[in-house]
Amino acid sequence: MTVDQIPSVVDRCGSAPAAGQSRPRPHTSIATRRHRAFYMFASPWIIGFALLTIAPMAYALWLSFTTFDGLSPNWHYVGLGNYRELFSDSQTWNSLGRTGLFAITSVPLSIIAGLGLAVLVNRPLKARGLFRTLLYLPAVVPPVGAGLAFKQLFDQNSGAANGALNLFGVDALGWLADPYARYVLIMTVLWTAGNIMIISLAGLQDIPRELLEAARLDGASAWRSFRSITVPLLSPVLLFQTVTGVIASVQTIMPLLLAPDPTPAGITALPQSNYLYMMHVFAEYFAFGRYGYASALLWVLFVLILVATGLIFKATSGVVFYNVDPEAKK
């Protein structure tokens, strides 16, 4: 092979760029750029979710197989021992039953209260914006502040609730003790009904007015229109509120904020009606220092929430109506 037959570098790699001219960038498709932009914008949430949710859950799962107490290095692996103890613990089952009763009672009441307020402020009233603001304000109060306020309001010695009863000659009641503590707890849930009101109001305003007007012209009463048109079209909103309400109710820490002694030692002295599942978890963590057993309790609660959510979706699959089919493929 002669020197003339050897391909030059320019022939193998293409023509060299002229002096002062940069080499052209490789072509990137629009889809690739969109995917890259999506992950760049979502990366703060993804990183936070991995570090603040996935990692703690994995750590709690590991703890649930140990006897770790948070301080002592003398812990050992017990496998499913914590879970076997959990299923034979009567306190766990009793607290779980009280939590289920609380969810069954508080979630429908809060949804009904929020929907009723939404229907009220959706009407053409004077100062409607002011009423919406005032009704929503309690929902933005931090839970700790709301709990302390209710604790002062229903204090047996100096609370305003007993002060009002004394005006009518009724003796002071121990609101924060059994059997009244459960009613105060439900009041704290209804206190935040403004949150549900805002979501329901958005759903009401999304209902086509033509349907309600047609029903009125056909002679349907206001109640019939509400039952046959408004509620079915609000069913996705009501489903969302039911699922989130159940999750929030089983995880509530409000009984601890209402406790006379909100310390680790005082957790075990809560009124029996307010000793919910999360209070049992708090007691195992902070009063007894049983981190492994408490982590097992939390993982069982996580599984129960998944099961309850799935059952709710399954039970309501035939009564929830969407304007767009959620199963439709794009």
Side-chain angles (χ1 to χ4, degrees):
M1 180 182 294
T2 64
V3 176
D4 295 336
Q5 293 174 324
I6 299 176
S8 65
V9 176
V10 175
D11 294 335
R12 291 198 306 266
C13 303
S15 59
Q21 182 180 1
S22 60
R23 186 178 297 276
R25 294 182 177 180
H27 176 70
T28 304
S29 65
I30 296 177
T32 301
R33 291 198 297 269
R34 287 179 176 175
H35 292 165
R36 186 181 302 166
F38 167 78
Y39 286 110
M40 288 179 62
F41 282 108
S43 60
W45 182 89
I46 295 174
I47 295 173
F49 181 73
L51 295 179
L52 302 178
T53 302
I54 299 298
M57 289 181 65
Y59 181 63
L61 180 61
W62 173 77
L63 283 182
S64 68
F65 299 115
T66 69
T67 59
F68 185 59
D69 61 359
L71 295 174
S72 174
N74 299 322
W75 58 269
H76 56 276
Y77 178 81
V78 294
L80 298 177
N82 288 325
Y83 292 93
R84 285 193 292 266
E85 180 182 352
L86 182 154
F87 286 107
S88 61
D89 186 1
S90 60
Q91 189 70 278
T92 298
W93 289 106
N94 292 335
S95 62
L96 185 61
R98 285 188 289 268
T99 301
L101 180 61
F102 171 69
I104 293 174
T105 305
S106 62
V107 173
L109 286 177
S110 60
I111 292 176
I112 292 172
L115 180 57
L117 293 176
V119 172
L120 177 65
V121 298
N122 194 43
R123 299 176 63 85
L125 304 173
K126 292 182 179 180
R128 183 171 56 179
L130 177 61
F131 283 116
R132 291 176 180 177
T133 303
L134 293 177
L135 292 172
Y136 180 68
L137 276 179
V140 301
V141 176
V144 174
L148 294 177
F150 271 87
K151 187 175 178 179
Q152 293 295 325
L153 178 64
F154 290 99
D155 185 82
Q156 186 172 1
N157 299 318
S158 60
N162 280 332
L165 292 178
N166 290 334
L167 295 177
F168 297 96
V170 180
D171 294 335
L173 300 177
W175 291 101
L176 301 180
D178 287 327
Y180 304 105
R182 70 184 67 185
Y183 304 119
V184 177
L185 182 60
I186 293 177
M187 290 181 195
T188 62
V189 176
L190 297 178
W191 169 259
T192 59
N195 215 349
I196 297 178
M197 178 198 73
I198 291 296
I199 300 175
S200 298
L201 181 61
L204 288 174
Q205 294 180 345
D206 192 47
I207 296 176
R209 296 299 171 189
E210 296 81 3
L211 296 178
L212 299 175
E213 184 66 20
R216 188 182 66 83
L217 293 177
D218 287 342
S221 63
W223 169 248
R224 180 60 185 271
S225 297
F226 178 79
R227 182 169 59 87
S228 301
I229 297 177
T230 303
V231 172
L233 293 179
L234 274 181
S235 55
V237 175
L238 299 177
L239 174 62
F240 168 78
Q241 293 171 346
T242 300
V243 172
T244 56
V246 169
I247 295 174
S249 62
V250 299
Q251 294 179 334
T252 183
I253 61 170
M254 192 58 70
L256 181 62
L257 301 176
L258 296 174
D261 181 17
T263 62
I267 296 176
T268 58
L270 283 171
Q272 198 68 15
S273 60
N274 279 5
Y275 193 81
L276 305 183
Y277 193 87
M278 282 302 298
M279 298 303 99
H280 186 44
V281 173
F282 270 78
E284 295 294 338
Y285 262 119
F286 303 112
F288 306 129
R290 304 184 63 195
Y291 281 47
Y293 185 66
S295 298
L297 288 172
L298 286 178
W299 265 97
V300 168
L301 179 63
F302 174 69
V303 173
L304 290 176
I305 289 176
L306 287 181
V307 172
T309 303
L311 291 177
I312 291 174
F313 276 103
K314 184 68 175 179
T316 58
S317 59
V319 295
V320 176
F321 304 95
Y322 297 93
N323 291 331
V324 178
D325 185 5
E327 302 296 333
K329 296 183 179 179
K330 294 183 179 180

